[in-house]
Structure formats: C-alpha cells, structure tokens
Amino acid sequence: MHHNNPDHGIVGCKNNTAGTITFRAEIVCGRAPDVSGQWVTLRPGQYGESSGVCAFYSSGVGSVGWTIK
C-alpha cells in the first residue's frame, strides 16, 4: 500500500531469472471491486512496478498480490 494513499496498491519486482518475465499487481479493495495494475515486462536484472487504485468508495487496499504470465 502506498504510504500517502490507502487506496493505492503497488507491487515491485526484480527479475532474478535468466529469462524475461511479465507481471502485474492484483489489488483487493474493501467494499469496492478489485483492480489489476498494468502489465510490466522485465528483462533479467531489471526492476519494475505495477500499481492500481481502488475506487473512492472502497475501504482501502486489503491486500496486494501479483500475477505472472
């Protein structure tokens, strides 16, 4: 969760593999639909972030996970 915005979930990832990976954030929003962040592709050794914002009427980020494709 972002320290200044309780509705903003962030996933950071460093690719420690020998191949390319693609991932995105999956944010669980209390009292509002869950959201997914943008897909991010990383080459070996790269770092990147994916994020999403819950609706204004949510009770904030409940948890943050990720999906890899």
Side-chain angles (χ1 to χ4, degrees):
M1 181 171 63
H2 191 278
H3 68 284
N4 289 333
N5 183 351
D7 293 331
H8 189 179
I10 303 169
V11 171
C13 178
K14 181 175 181 186
N15 183 357
N16 292 324
T17 72
T20 300
I21 62 167
T22 301
F23 76 99
R24 74 176 177 188
E26 303 291 348
I27 298 100
V28 176
C29 301
R31 298 190 189 133
D34 298 343
V35 295
S36 297
Q38 70 282 10
W39 287 104
V40 177
T41 300
L42 301 175
R43 293 186 313 249
Q46 281 188 311
Y47 173 85
E49 294 181 349
S50 176
S51 66
V53 179
C54 296
F56 71 93
Y57 56 86
S58 78
S59 57
V61 173
S63 66
V64 179
W66 61 90
T67 298
I68 297 176
K69 71 172 182 177

